[in-house]
Amino acid sequence: MKSPASGTLAFVNSKKRKSHRNPTNKSEKLLLSDPLLRRLSSAAAATRSFIQTNDLFLPPSQSLRIESLLSSLPITPSHSTSTSNSTWFHRFVNSAAENDDPRWHHCFRMSKPTFFKLLSVLSSSDLPPLPSSSLAATLFRLAHNASYSSLAQRFGFDSVSDASRAFFTVCKLVHEKLGQLDDPKPDFSPRLLPNCCGALGFGRFDVDGELLESLIVQALVDSAGRFADISAGWPSTMKPEAILRQTKLFSMAEEESRSFLNGGAPCELGDGVSVPRYILGDSRLPLLPWLLTPYSSNEEEEDSFEFNNVARAALRAVEIAFAKVRTRWRILDRKWKPEMVEFLPFVVTTGCLLHNFLVDSGDGDLQEECVVARDDSEMMKDDECEEETRRYEGEAYVGSSRIRDAIAENLSRVTSSENL
């Protein structure tokens, strides 16, 4: 019986013997393809020359696409004819010297002053200062889903491994330096939703897998559109209430002495009801003393329609915040491979923290981008989920229902007076 090795060798020898039967076959194919290869190589060289000449002004999405197409060609890349030893980023900094140069936004999703402010914040430690090229490469990858090989070429890393290491080092610094989130204030919508501290919702990030289609991120968004709490990495098979009850936000809210919800005076409404601090959640979540949700279709309340309209409009803040993160950081607006999914929660949180930093820096508006909020309201919604929602209604705290009713009545009075 032949061993696998000998079997493989016999197969190779058989292929060699077959090639001897027509020794001119291979050379004939090369002769036929040579003119085409020469033309293709010439066109590729001209394209690379164009990129090298215009790389400081081409939109990153366009130049990355051209580079990807060139790397897929069945020809050996020609050596660069550029005599400059400086990297693309070094030349970019010298070219885009003005603070208001729009290319900073195009490449790194922030202005030049904000970029160097972020660099200073991330470098404030006993460690050696963070190289500006490492921060730029990280932002460029987040913004354009650029490959590590592209980062190595543009930002001067010695290898793909060095580019990958720099990316995760900067992401870790973002978590360490920007991860202390401020407690939201009760100013989410003071006129319509008095004492509300924010909106609680969920975002979905896609995974290209059969067993896991997406990962879920729970987020609390404040009145400025910042993320006040982030809990990322939950499988899409989990129900919203199950996710909520396993988060730090839930445990802190249940232990009133530890929660920001217990840090302020209640709001006194006209009918004598005291409204403590609370957050607004969607109908897939339970009604709790600190979490108010819209009325269900089974509840017959006079003012429920107006309250539900205001609540749904307020909950859009979560969708918009996630949409801005996806629009600004295109690495998150794609399907992630299953073998890379363990890094997805880390990168999502990085994008959310950078979003907060840009909002606080006055650089939160997206330029030349169309922000489209993705509706995840159907996420994990089925008959079982609806049955659980009805069960919540039977277990809801009487005090929570009374507070929601009082807010709905107050909202009706406010809107009625505006219509007079």
Side-chain angles (χ1 to χ4, degrees):
M1 183 175 179
K2 294 182 179 181
S3 66
S6 61
T8 302
L9 183 60
F11 174 76
V12 172
N13 289 336
S14 174
K15 297 290 286 183
K16 288 182 178 179
R17 284 194 298 269
K18 288 181 180 180
S19 66
H20 290 319
R21 296 174 186 173
N22 187 5
T24 62
N25 184 48
K26 183 177 180 180
S27 60
E28 286 176 355
K29 288 184 177 181
L30 286 176
L31 289 173
L32 289 173
S33 60
D34 273 351
L36 177 60
L37 288 178
R38 283 196 297 270
R39 292 182 182 180
L40 192 61
S41 179
S42 176
T47 303
R48 290 191 178 92
S49 176
F50 172 80
I51 293 178
Q52 291 170 2
T53 304
N54 300 278
D55 58 356
L56 296 177
F57 301 96
L58 285 174
S61 58
Q62 182 177 349
S63 59
L64 288 171
R65 178 61 177 162
I66 295 174
E67 290 170 6
S68 176
L69 290 173
L70 289 175
S71 64
S72 67
L73 295 177
I75 56 176
T76 303
S78 59
H79 295 289
S80 173
T81 57
S82 175
T83 58
S84 174
N85 294 323
S86 61
T87 65
W88 172 87
F89 178 63
H90 179 76
R91 292 185 291 109
F92 175 88
V93 172
N94 290 334
S95 173
E98 300 297 329
N99 287 342
D100 59 351
D101 194 312
R103 287 178 291 172
W104 284 91
H105 276 282
H106 296 162
C107 293
F108 308 114
R109 298 298 191 254
M110 61 187 66
S111 66
K112 179 181 178 181
T114 303
F115 175 91
F116 284 100
K117 177 183 176 182
L118 178 60
L119 180 65
S120 176
V121 170
L122 299 183
S123 300
S124 57
S125 67
D126 296 332
L127 299 175
L130 177 68
S132 59
S133 58
S134 294
L135 175 59
T138 300
L139 296 175
F140 194 85
R141 174 165 167 76
L142 289 171
H144 307 289
N145 192 27
S147 65
Y148 289 123
S149 59
S150 178
L151 298 188
Q153 178 181 355
R154 286 172 175 266
F155 298 93
F157 297 107
D158 292 334
S159 66
V160 169
S161 297
D162 287 346
S164 174
R165 191 176 301 110
F167 176 78
F168 283 102
T169 296
V170 173
C171 289
K172 183 179 178 182
L173 283 173
V174 169
H175 282 241
E176 293 175 354
K177 300 296 184 179
L178 306 180
Q180 297 299 321
L181 301 178
D182 295 331
D183 290 339
K185 298 178 175 59
D187 60 353
F188 188 78
S189 182
R191 186 176 61 85
L192 302 178
L193 298 169
N195 239 12
C196 180
C197 293
L200 183 67
F202 301 88
R204 184 178 70 244
F205 293 85
D206 297 330
V207 177
D208 190 14
E210 296 181 359
L211 300 178
L212 183 64
E213 296 181 352
S214 59
L215 285 183
I216 305 304
V217 181
Q218 177 187 284
L220 175 64
V221 175
D222 68 11
S223 59
R226 295 174 298 225
F227 292 92
D229 185 85
I230 310 165
S231 183
W234 304 97
S236 55
T237 52
M238 289 185 68
K239 304 300 182 189
E241 187 240 358
I243 294 174
L244 170 66
R245 292 185 182 276
Q246 296 187 44
T247 61
K248 184 179 179 181
L249 174 67
F250 181 86
S251 62
M252 291 186 66
E254 290 293 293
E255 298 181 30
E256 295 182 358
S257 60
R258 299 175 56 200
S259 175
F260 63 87
L261 297 169
N262 197 44
C267 175
E268 301 292 337
L269 295 183
D271 50 9
V273 177
S274 295
V275 178
R277 289 186 176 187
Y278 64 93
I279 59 181
L280 193 67
D282 66 30
S283 57
R284 296 168 295 178
L285 298 174
L287 180 66
L288 298 171
W290 52 271
L291 178 63
L292 299 187
T293 60
Y295 291 92
S296 71
S297 58
N298 296 330
E299 291 174 306
E300 296 293 337
E301 294 292 340
E302 182 179 355
D303 305 308
S304 61
F305 180 77
E306 189 70 34
F307 178 85
N308 283 359
N309 284 341
V310 172
R312 292 190 183 101
L315 289 167
R316 285 275 295 169
V318 183
E319 297 176 17
I320 292 173
F322 276 126
K324 287 184 176 181
V325 168
R326 288 192 187 92
T327 301
R328 180 176 279 115
W329 312 122
R330 290 296 188 183
I331 194 174
L332 299 173
D333 195 30
R334 64 175 175 88
K335 287 189 175 183
W336 280 58
K337 296 180 180 179
E339 61 269 22
M340 299 298 294
V341 74
E342 63 179 300
F343 302 109
L344 179 54
F346 181 69
V347 179
V348 169
T349 305
T350 300
C352 293
L353 294 175
L354 288 171
H355 166 87
N356 286 359
F357 178 82
L358 293 176
V359 171
D360 291 337
S361 301
D363 214 353
D365 291 336
L366 296 176
Q367 295 187 359
E368 298 184 10
E369 296 285 352
C370 180
V371 178
V372 179
R374 187 169 72 176
D375 184 9
D376 289 333
S377 60
E378 296 300 317
M379 176 190 66
M380 304 172 288
K381 187 174 182 179
D382 53 22
D383 294 339
E384 181 183 354
C385 184
E386 293 177 358
E387 182 63 33
E388 290 179 358
T389 302
R390 288 192 286 271
R391 175 172 59 82
Y392 298 149
E393 294 164 5
E395 298 175 355
Y397 291 93
V398 174
S400 304
S401 299
R402 183 167 176 263
I403 291 172
R404 183 177 63 178
D405 292 344
I407 294 174
E409 292 173 6
N410 179 74
L411 176 60
S412 181
R413 288 194 297 268
V414 170
T415 53
S416 297
S417 63
E418 291 179 350
N419 294 330
L420 294 178

